[in-house]
Amino acid sequence: MLRFSESVSFDARLARFDIAGSKAHLAMLAHVGLISRAERDAIHGGLEDILKEIEAGTFAWRTQLEDVHMNIEQALTARVPAAARLHTARSRNDQVATDMRLWFKHATADLEARVRGAQRALLSLAERDGEVLIPGYTHLQRAQPVVLAHHLFAWMEMLDRDAARLAEVRAQANWCPLGSGAIAGTTLPIDREFTARALGFVDSRGRAQVTQNSMDTVADRDLFIGFAAACATAGVHFSRIAEDLILWSSVEFGFVDLPDAFCTGSSLMPQKKNPDSCELLRGKSARLQGNLHTLLTLAKGLPLTYNRDLQEDKPPVFDSHDQTAICLDVLAGTLAGMTVKRDRCAAAVADPGLLATDLADYLVIRGVPFREAHHAVGAVVKLAERSGVALNALETAAVQQVHPKFGDDWRGVFDLRRAMQLRRGTGMPGPVQVRRQLARWRRVLRAAKA
Ligand code: ARG
C-alpha cells in the first residue's frame, strides 16, 4: 500500500513551491496572532534550511511519509518543535492546490520562453532564406507558389497561439487557494488576502486574488486540463511542422537538408539519413494528447470535493511540461541547423501550372466572369497537356482560340516575381506583406525578451 499510495516520487519536484506556500502561510499566522513572532522566525529558518538541503540533494526523502507535504513538515517539526503549529488552518487539500497553482505559473512562463526560442529560430530562417520560392500545397498537391517566409510565418502564428494559450492558463492560475482548508475553510480568524499577496497571487494593480468557493477550490482540476490542452495543442502544431519538414527533407521533395545532429543513419542502409527529431516531435504529440485525455477521464464523474484519485493529476501535467519543453528546444535546434536547397526549390516552383489561377485572374481583369475564366484556363491547361508542352509554351494563337480575351501579353502572368508582387493584401505572400510580417515578428520577439 505504501508503494501504491506514495506520491513523493513525483511530487518532490513541488518542494520549492510547497516551502514558499508554507512561508506565506506562516507569515499570515503570525500577522493575525495565531503564532508568535519568535515561533514564526524559528519555523521560517527551519524551512530555509530544508530548502537548501533539497536543492543540494542531501535531503532524505522518505516514501513512508507519502508526499512532499508530509516529508517537509515532519523534517521541519523534528528540527523546530514549534512547527507543530504550521498546519493551523490548513489542509493538504488547499496546500497541494496552492503548490500546483504556483507551479503552473512557473511552468507556463518557462514554456512561453521556449516557444519564443523556437519562434526566434523561425525568424532567423526567414531572414536568411525567406525569399526562396516554393510550391504551397493543398491535398499535398502543388497548388500555388509562396515564398518560404510565408510558410514559416504560418508556423509562427501557430506557435504564437500556443504562447497565448499558456498565458491564459497562467492568468487562471493566479488565484490563491490557501484558507479553503480541507473543504469548508476554518473557524480560525485567518487573513486570506495577506497570504495571497505574500505569494504573488495579485492582479495588475497589486490587489489580492483569492479563490471564491472553498469546495470548488479543493475539487477543481480545470487548470490541469487547461495546461495539458495547451500542451496537446502545441503538440499538434509540432507534429504538423515536423511532417512538413519530413516531406521537405525527403529525396522526393529535396527542399531542405536537416542538421546531422538531429538525424540518424540506418544501422543497415549506409545511404540513409533519417529525420529523427521530426519523427519524434510527431510521436511525442501523441503522448501530449494522452496526458490531456488522462486528466479529463480522471476528473470526470468525481463527487465533490477532494478524492484521492486526484493525486494522479500530477504525473500527466509534469510529463506534458517536460515533453513540451524539450520538443520546443529540439524544434528550435532543427530549424536553426537546417539548410535550404535553393536549386531544388527553384525547380519545384518552376512549373507554370502553379500560376493557372493567376491566368484566370488575368482574364477577370479583362472583364471575364471568374467561372468562365476558370473554365477557359482549364481548357488551356488540357491543351498544354495534350500537346506535351509547358503551359506557358503554347502558341498565343492557340490560347486566343480558347478565349478571345487572352492578349499578346498573356505569358507575362508566368513571371513569378510579378505573381508575388500582385499579392499585396494583408495576410498574402507578396513582398510588401512579408516585410511587414518580418517587422512584426521582430517586434513581438524583442518585446518577449524584455
Ligand atoms: N498527495 C496528495 C495529492 O496529491 C495531497 C493531498 C492529500 N489529501 C488528502 N486528503 N489525503 O492529492
Side-chain angles (χ1 to χ4, degrees):
M1 182 55 193
L2 264 178
R3 265 194 299 131
F4 188 63
S5 69
E6 68 85 23
S7 57
V8 68
S9 56
F10 53 84
D11 66 17
R13 74 188 273 170
L14 293 172
R16 76 182 165 97
F17 304 108
D18 197 70
I19 288 172
S22 287
K23 284 181 181 169
H25 184 66
L26 181 66
M28 184 277 291
L29 291 177
H31 174 71
V32 299
L34 282 167
I35 61 170
S36 71
R37 286 199 191 144
E39 286 167 332
R40 176 195 65 193
D41 295 344
I43 301 169
H44 188 95
L47 285 166
E48 301 251 276
D49 291 345
I50 287 174
L51 181 59
K52 275 192 207 113
E53 281 173 33
I54 292 171
E55 280 172 349
T58 56
F59 185 80
W61 294 104
R62 287 163 59 197
T63 308
Q64 311 89 279
L65 294 177
E66 249 185 50
D67 57 22
V68 62
H69 323 294
M70 296 304 284
N71 266 271
I72 292 173
E73 195 187 325
Q74 294 260 333
L76 183 64
T77 314
R79 299 161 196 217
V80 185
R85 297 187 188 277
L86 176 60
H87 214 53
T88 305
R90 185 175 75 172
S91 152
R92 273 188 291 165
N93 294 352
D94 59 351
Q95 192 177 355
V96 72
T98 304
D99 291 8
M100 287 306 293
R101 281 175 180 269
L102 291 170
W103 183 82
F104 282 121
K105 287 172 74 171
H106 155 83
T108 50
D110 172 71
L111 290 183
E112 249 183 274
R114 292 173 203 266
V115 169
R116 299 310 183 194
Q119 286 184 307
R120 275 188 198 101
L122 270 178
L123 181 63
S124 300
L125 192 55
E127 282 169 340
R128 201 179 65 208
D129 293 307
E131 87 291 357
V132 172
L133 284 155
I134 54 167
Y137 293 78
T138 63
H139 311 268
L140 198 55
Q141 308 291 320
R142 285 180 185 170
Q144 292 185 312
V146 292
V147 286
L148 182 62
H150 198 56
H151 198 124
L152 299 177
F153 288 162
W155 297 345
M156 195 78 113
E157 298 279 354
M158 290 149 66
L159 293 177
D160 215 51
R161 290 195 296 276
D162 293 328
R165 256 183 289 275
L166 289 164
E168 179 61 26
V169 172
R170 189 166 54 256
Q172 286 164 1
N174 197 23
W175 295 82
C176 189
L178 281 175
S180 300
I183 165 169
T186 175
T187 59
L188 297 166
I190 61 168
D191 182 343
R192 291 194 64 200
E193 283 72 18
F194 181 100
T195 319
R197 274 191 299 272
L199 284 171
F201 289 109
V202 290
D203 68 11
S204 57
R205 291 158 64 186
R207 288 175 303 196
Q209 300 204 122
V210 301
T211 57
Q212 299 288 302
N213 181 292
S214 64
M215 292 181 75
D216 178 52
T217 299
V218 295
D220 171 30
R221 290 300 181 271
D222 290 4
L223 274 171
F224 291 67
I225 292 168
F227 179 80
C231 293
T233 310
V236 170
H237 296 157
F238 304 155
S239 74
R240 295 185 74 168
I241 295 169
E243 178 61 13
D244 278 344
L245 290 175
I246 289 166
L247 289 169
W248 287 1
S249 65
S250 68
V251 172
E252 284 72 11
F253 281 74
F255 295 174
V256 299
D257 213 0
L258 296 175
D260 288 352
F262 292 83
C263 298
T264 62
S266 157
S267 55
L268 189 141
M269 299 164 283
Q271 87 287 7
K272 288 286 293 289
K273 177 170 154 185
N274 299 324
D276 292 54
S277 66
C278 294
E279 292 172 288
L280 281 165
L281 284 167
R282 207 173 48 184
K284 301 267 191 194
S285 70
R287 186 162 159 186
L288 295 173
Q289 289 179 30
N291 288 337
L292 171 59
H293 201 94
T294 297
L295 289 162
L296 288 166
T297 309
L298 183 68
K300 181 199 168 300
L302 279 187
L304 292 189
T305 54
Y306 180 85
N307 299 271
R308 193 64 185 279
D309 317 40
L310 293 176
Q311 182 168 289
E312 288 293 313
D313 60 4
K314 283 169 278 308
V317 289
F318 290 159
D319 187 62
S320 283
H321 169 268
D322 297 348
Q323 293 304 318
T324 303
I326 198 162
C327 280
L328 285 162
D329 293 353
V330 166
L331 177 62
T334 304
L335 292 167
M338 73 185 219
T339 48
V340 175
K341 291 154 95 175
R342 289 174 173 249
D343 31 335
R344 289 295 304 269
C345 294
V349 83
D351 174 7
L354 293 173
L355 292 172
T357 314
D358 295 45
L359 192 58
D361 290 347
Y362 167 95
L363 289 178
V364 167
I365 291 289
R366 279 160 181 72
V368 181
F370 180 75
R371 278 292 159 223
E372 186 184 323
H374 183 274
H375 186 79
V377 173
V380 172
V381 168
K382 267 215 189 82
L383 183 63
E385 270 168 21
R386 251 187 290 127
S387 326
V389 298
L391 185 56
N392 59 350
L394 284 167
E395 298 291 341
T396 296
V399 172
Q400 283 170 341
Q401 221 160 40
V402 174
H403 202 290
K405 290 279 181 174
F406 281 116
D408 291 340
D409 62 348
W410 73 283
R411 251 186 274 270
V413 165
F414 298 99
D415 176 353
L416 278 167
R417 274 178 50 117
R418 174 188 170 277
M420 285 299 118
Q421 249 144 23
L422 289 174
R423 289 167 160 80
R424 295 193 187 91
T426 303
M428 300 181 194
V432 174
Q433 292 302 332
V434 168
R435 270 197 299 278
R436 271 184 59 185
Q437 295 298 328
L438 263 171
R440 170 182 163 221
W441 290 120
R442 284 193 190 114
R443 219 166 35 239
V444 168
L445 294 175
R446 222 180 301 119
K449 204 166 229 165

